[in-house]
Structures are given as structure tokens and as C-alpha cells.
């Protein structure tokens, strides 16, 4: 919804972009040294030329994702029905399969994992027959669903749920990653089953336990943490505090 760092000018493509003061509302303004045009973080986003506050849009989108009708979501978000329908069409256009654009020239990819619903977990695959609870397993359990994530330095991102369980193979990674980045891009990732998926791109591979991994993988780690938080908040999973799972504990 908002771009915080511009790797290149959205008008001429030049990389000479610098900060150029702020708007009256406190938003950061940028200026291109090549073409001289100024712009803000709303350029090329759904918030461009919008008179509605981002908080109202986020609330309306959140209610729509929870299954609320468009009329109720607009009423609770304090926006008109006409504005709500307009933004609903904008978001539908963003996620439609025919509008997937290439990612930027610098990208990061990684997988994160969420627990499968209990009804999808078979007793012989990590769930006790007597208690119905999951058994603790060493390593990556087959009851975990992989989510393939990617971000770039221009604010674009994607997250796709995998079809299998546990650690994905090369073919499944190929299905979700191949074609997302232009040839010649720089892709940073940890050691995984990627094979020749990023052929034609410059790859920076690092061990996730190494000292430099924190700085190299920070953009994708922040995004995967956000994905995890969305799942935990949606499922009402609360943090364990002082040995108890109480309602007073803060959400992830």
C-alpha cells in the first residue's frame, strides 16, 4: 500500500532517487535527479490520489477477508459504498492471475511453515490416537504446510501456499518461484532445494545460521514473520506467558 524505499524512479527508471522533504501530512517525498520529478510512497499503489486514510482502507479490507458483506464493511470503516466498491475492484485486479508482474531486480525468497488443520492430520502422521494431540517430532513435521514467499526492493511481494507437506522438493519450488524474477536479477536465499530454478540470475546463497545471514535475509525474514503473525492472529493463537496460555498474553 505504500513504498518506503525507491530503487529507481517510477517515471524514467533512473536510480538517482533521493529524499526530498515531506508532505504537509508528514509523508516522505522523493525526487529523481535525472528527470527532476517528485513523488511520494503512494506512487504506483492503490493509495495513489486517494482521499481515504490508509487505516480505513485496511479495516475495510480486513473485514472483507473475514467474510463481511461490502455494505457492512463500508459502514464499519466509515467509507461510502461507492468508495468501497472501487477499492474492492482495485484489490481484485491486483490479485487476479492475469496481472502478475515481474518482481524487481533485487529479490529475496524463502519458505515459512504453518500447521495443518487438525482434521487434515492423520493419527499415524504425528497425531496421537488416544489424545488426538500432535506428537512432537524432530525436524520438519509432515503436518506443516509450506508457504513460498518472495519480496523485492521495490515493495512487491508474493506468498503462495504449497500443495504438499513438509520440506518442499525442487519441482514444487520450481512451480512457485520460476518466472517470478527477470533474467539478470540478484536473488538472495538460504540453502534449500532450488536446483537451477534461478538460472540466468545472480544467486547469493547463505547459511541461515551464519553471522551474515541476519543482514542478508532481513527483508524476507520480516515478510515471513508477517505471514506467521497473520495466521496466528486469524487462528487466535496467543503467546505462552509464565507457563500458561492465558487470554492476558499478547498476540504474536
Amino acid at each position: 500500500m505504500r513504498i518506503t524505499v525507491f530503487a529507481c524512479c517510477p517515471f524514467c527508471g533512473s536510480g538517482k532517487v533521493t529524499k526530498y522533504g515531506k508532505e504537509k501530512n508528514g509523508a516522505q517525498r522523493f525526487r529523481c535527479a535525472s528527470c527532476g520529478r517528485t513523488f511520494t510512497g503512494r506512487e504506483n499503489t492503490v493509495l495513489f490520489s486517494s482521499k481515504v486514510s490508509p487505516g480505513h482502507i485496511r479495516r475495510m479490507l480486513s473485514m472483507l477477508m473475514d467474510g463481511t458483506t461490502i455494505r457492512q464493511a463500508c459502514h464499519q470503516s466509515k467509507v461510502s459504498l461507492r468508495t468501497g466498491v472501487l477499492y474492492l475492484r482495485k484489490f481484485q485486479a491486483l490479485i487476479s492471475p492475469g496481472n502478475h508482474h515481474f518482481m524487481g531486480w533485487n529479490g529475496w525468497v524463502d519458505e515459512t511453515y504453518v500447521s495443518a488443520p487438525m482434521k487434515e492430520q492423520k493419527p499415524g502422521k504425528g497425531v496421537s490416537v488416544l489424545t488426538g494431540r500432535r506428537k512432537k517430532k524432530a525436524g520438519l513435521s509432515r503436518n506443516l504446510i509450506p508457504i513460498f514467499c518472495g519480496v523485492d526492493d521495490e515493495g512487491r511481494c508474493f506468498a503462495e501456499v504449497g500443495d504438499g507437506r513438509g520440506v518442499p522438493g525442487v519441482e514444487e519450488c520450481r512451480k512457485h518461484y520460476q518466472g517470478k524474477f527477470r533474467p539478470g536479477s540478484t536473488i538472495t536465499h538460504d540453502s534449500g532445494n532450488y536446483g537451477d530454478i534461478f538460472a540466468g540470475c545472480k544467486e547469493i546463497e547463505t547459511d541461515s545460521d551464519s553471522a551474515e545471514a541476519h543482514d542478508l535475509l532481513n527483508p524476507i525474514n520480516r515478510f515471513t514473520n508477517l505471514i506467521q503473525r497473520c495466521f496466528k492472529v486469524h487462528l487466535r493463537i496467543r503467546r505462552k506467558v509464565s507457563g500458561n496460555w492465558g487470554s492476558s498474553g499478547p498476540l504474536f
Side-chain angles (χ1 to χ4, degrees):
M1 298 183 73
R2 187 186 300 274
I3 303 175
T4 57
V5 178
F6 283 89
C8 59
C9 175
F11 301 105
C12 67
S14 173
K16 300 179 181 179
V17 177
T18 58
K19 293 183 179 181
Y20 191 70
K22 293 188 177 182
E23 298 287 328
K24 292 182 179 180
N25 59 1
Q28 180 66 54
R29 188 165 65 244
F30 301 89
R31 182 178 184 274
C32 176
S34 299
C35 65
R37 301 185 68 172
T38 61
F39 45 90
T40 65
R42 292 188 175 186
E43 196 72 37
N44 295 334
T45 68
V46 294
L47 290 178
F48 181 70
S49 71
S50 173
K51 302 299 187 296
V52 183
S53 68
H56 289 172
I57 298 177
R58 290 192 184 95
R59 183 175 183 180
M60 179 186 65
L61 179 61
S62 177
M63 296 182 68
L64 290 174
M65 292 175 64
D66 288 339
T68 309
T69 63
I70 181 65
R71 189 177 297 275
Q72 291 175 334
C74 293
H75 176 72
Q76 295 294 330
S77 305
K78 298 181 179 180
V79 299
S80 66
L81 182 60
R82 182 176 181 178
T83 301
V85 173
L86 173 64
Y87 276 99
L88 179 60
R89 290 176 179 175
K90 286 185 177 182
F91 286 116
Q92 288 174 341
L94 286 176
I95 64 177
S96 62
N99 288 337
H100 286 179
H101 302 290
F102 277 111
M103 301 290 284
W105 292 103
N106 296 305
W108 295 260
V109 297
D110 197 7
E111 299 83 47
T112 186
Y113 300 87
V114 296
S115 298
M118 187 64 68
K119 62 182 180 180
E120 296 183 9
Q121 299 178 7
K122 299 180 180 180
K125 299 294 183 179
V127 179
S128 173
V129 179
L130 298 177
T131 63
R133 297 179 180 179
R134 285 177 294 169
K135 301 176 182 178
K136 291 185 178 180
K137 284 188 176 183
L140 203 57
S141 171
R142 294 292 297 174
N143 290 327
L144 296 181
I145 303 175
I147 301 179
F148 300 84
C149 304
V151 297
D152 65 8
D153 56 350
E154 298 179 10
R156 300 187 184 95
C157 59
F158 66 88
E160 298 178 0
V161 179
D163 299 326
R165 296 288 190 271
V167 179
V170 177
E171 291 305 318
E172 190 171 5
C173 290
R174 188 189 307 278
K175 175 183 176 182
H176 295 280
Y177 289 137
Q178 196 168 44
K180 292 288 196 304
F181 297 90
R182 302 181 181 93
S185 303
T186 301
I187 312 298
T188 305
H189 58 79
D190 60 358
S191 55
N193 299 324
Y194 298 115
D196 60 347
I197 297 175
F198 303 113
C201 300
K202 178 183 177 182
E203 295 185 59
I204 301 177
E205 183 175 345
T206 179
D207 185 1
S208 57
D209 295 329
S210 62
E212 65 274 7
H214 176 74
D215 294 331
L216 291 176
L217 301 176
N218 184 51
I220 189 64
N221 287 341
R222 293 177 60 184
F223 182 63
T224 54
N225 288 338
L226 177 62
I227 296 295
Q228 287 287 339
R229 184 182 185 277
C230 290
F231 273 90
K232 289 177 171 62
V233 170
H234 179 71
L235 298 175
R236 302 297 190 267
I237 299 176
R238 297 179 179 271
R239 182 180 299 170
K240 189 175 182 180
V241 180
S242 302
N244 297 318
W245 291 86
S247 59
S248 59
L251 288 173
F252 274 89

